[in-house]
Amino acid sequence: MRLFLTIFCLVISLICNGQDYELNLTIQDQETETALPFVSVQLSPGGASGTTDEKGFLRFDLPPGRYSIRASFTGYADYERTITLNAKRDLVITMESTSATLETVVVTDRDDRLDLSRPQMGVERLTAGELESIPSVLGERDVLRSLQLLPGVTSAGEASNGISVRGGTIDQNLLLLDGAPVFTPTHLFGLFTVFTPDAVGGIDLYRGNIPARFGGRVSSVVDVRSKVPNADSPIIKGGIGLVSSNLSIETPLGKSGKWDVLAAARGGFNDFAFNLIKRLKGTKSRFGDATLKLRFQPGEKDLFTFSGFYSGDFYQVDLLSTFGGVAATSNQYAYLTLNGGLEWVRLLNDSWSLSTRVTNAHFAPELRFPQLDNSLITFTSGIDQQSGRIALGNNESATHALTIGLSADRYTLEPGALDPGASTNVQPTTLVRERGLELVAFVEDEWKVSPRFTVGAGLRYAAYRQLGPAEQRLYGAGQELTESNLESVISIAEGETAATYGGFEPRLGLSYQLTPNTSIKASYARSRQYLQNIYNATTPLPTSRWKVADINVGPQTADLVSLGYSHVTPSGNYAFRLETYYRQLTDLLEYKPGADFFLNPTVETDLLRGEGRAYGVELTASRRTGRITGEVNYAFARVENRVAGNDFSTRINRGEWYPGYFDQPHTFSANLTLDEGKTHELGFNLVIQSNRPYTVPNGFVEINGTDVPLFLERNNDRLPVYHRLDFSWTIHNFRRQKRAWTGDWVFTVYNLYGRDNAYNVFFQPRDANTPALGIFGGSPFAAYRLSIFGAPVLSLAYKFTFKP
């Protein structure tokens, strides 16, 4: 508690202001090197701004810290750069002449005063520079770990395969990389995200009124963008660590200046580490990911970018020996993601631009069952999604930022196939392929009604079709979906439609500035989800299956209302924000007790449909300038579900409201960075949260002389409080000299004080060699706690940059 109070007081008080330093800017034309007068320059955070004089010169006096510089001038491409100011600095900025900027990466500065006038709510934006400043975990910059420090964003535990946003399930988040969905976003049992660190350019998290161009999920959108290469000379970055190593190169191709490429890769081979822990000797893990980005600009009006992404995982767990009735010496899991995309931006004139994007996402999980006779049984599944979008935008108006567009998404799902290999004890099984098509028209506009009042309005219409060939299973009207009530199966031919859904999804955001430093906001958004991941655990496994909407499993629909208050101090150094929200969810999917989705051809018979609600309050206090920077967040949030069927078999908890799987009422998080300027940077992450619910037996019944647990309620108890402190120490290039090779050492400790957080509590026959949490009377069963990282996890990495 003393440690907690110390860190809390450090972040809140933010006592180290330090002295101001000069930042002198000289701005020139890139080709002629002549001075550019009257260039508009803005710094964030802090909101400092100015205009260059007739000699292209501008001076700022600023406290030490990390700043984003943005320069704009009519007839020139916008310039953006992030710097660390810890001494007097003189910078020469060169700007490229063009009719308008063609850069496709959205500038995601965190100027809190600019956010006051924006009508979006629940939006968090992180640049690559800000990811670098957040304390790392095991020496890695990590997208999802960084997001988990934000209010309303939590994880199911160290081994969770994703995030929960405002209590939503993991599959209710649309996770995009350069416009293509990523269906499994983590490596190494959920410890790392799959995005190649040196290739990440920026992140937008939308958890409020999501822009109309996004859809298909009811909780949030995480829009990750890789860097668009634009280097004048080769830049090589890399890192060598105990957990993973990485290498990237950004370079122009040829001398024309029209082609640029970014290639980055990372790999981790961790089998040796698990062999050091007795109970994990049979555990294996290795992973890799790679990102490729090509940029081609043939002229001033066109820009083409190609994105490619690969991610692969393999791990083996000996703690489980059976799955879905298939016995094995171990369980081996493998994941493969292979995405690609092409985008073309065309400037029609000084005001209008046309962007076209096509993407393909391929995800193929696999579960392998090695047998004693050295044969191998494999379970495979997969999903392919092809997407296309065309949008016409006008961002030059002083009062409107209008975008109109069309998009299409086509899903092809392989629910599962079991290949027995050489085994004669298992029958081969292949489930019927599923297909879906989603056609969308959208329009969105940000209208500055007055200097104080801004409206962000959007309208999205989605028309969904389940495509043939497919099986349409018809059950008795008003009856429970069971195999005994199945009346007929209709075969839908290729090219025909098996089911249709659709409707309007309005989005609205309002922002009113009470004063130049204070604003209030309100928003509303409706979203529908036609593609869902079905599993009866807190995190998906390779055997969990994606499901398109059909006549028996409809789309989920969410309505979200939010209110907010924001204040930034006149200096711009401190920002405070409060948001409250309420989300209503219909057609929520739940599962029946004992549900088994493994190779189940009639998966709807193990599903129940209900409703959900989520509500909460989120508070944030932050400081982004000075030697000590950081953010403190607190969230009160509740998530409740209700499944009120007609009888006992279709009701959960007697048809009453019960806690959802990510109902974590209280969450406190803080990140603190102490920048010593020349050589050292210290970082701390602190997380304290109510842990998620789990189910305990209501009693025991005797069956054939054996006491068996009786489960009558769901999520009727809660895991112990979760808390963890992480520490990172970065040692920069010692002399801070301008040289070709610079390097940093990064030392990190995950779970600094070794908190043995519970990942799950399960019930099994008593084991005299394993301490039990509880023993129930004369029952042969006992409760046991599973922890993933019950001790500090240390790592050391070396990061380098080479600019020959």
Side-chain angles (χ1 to χ4, degrees), residues 17 23 40 68 94 102 176 181-182 215 243 306 318 321 462-463 482 498 515 571 603 663 685 704 734 770 777 800:
N17 288 313
L23 174 61
S40 176
S68 175
T94 59
L102 283 171
L176 300 172
V182 176
V243 179
F306 168 78
D318 282 348
S321 58
T482 62
T515 70
S571 65
V603 66
D663 179 53
N685 294 334
N704 297 327
F734 291 102
T770 304
F800 64 86

Side-chain angles (χ1 to χ4, degrees), residues 702-742:
E702 185 177 316
I703 301 178
N704 297 327
T706 301
D707 289 336
V708 177
L710 180 64
F711 295 90
L712 298 176
E713 295 179 317
R714 189 168 299 185
N715 294 347
N716 54 356
D717 206 344
R718 194 174 295 275
L719 297 173
V721 172
Y722 179 99
H723 53 89
R724 188 191 79 245
L725 176 66
D726 306 327
F727 167 74
S728 67
W729 178 19
T730 302
I731 305 175
H732 297 299
N733 174 25
F734 291 102
R735 297 182 180 178
R736 289 288 191 179
Q737 294 178 345
K738 186 177 181 181
R739 53 187 183 181
W741 182 285
T742 59

Side-chain angles (χ1 to χ4, degrees), residues 294-306:
L294 287 173
R295 178 183 186 269
F296 173 56
Q297 187 173 349
E300 294 183 349
K301 292 185 177 294
D302 296 281
L303 176 66
F304 296 86
T305 55
F306 168 78

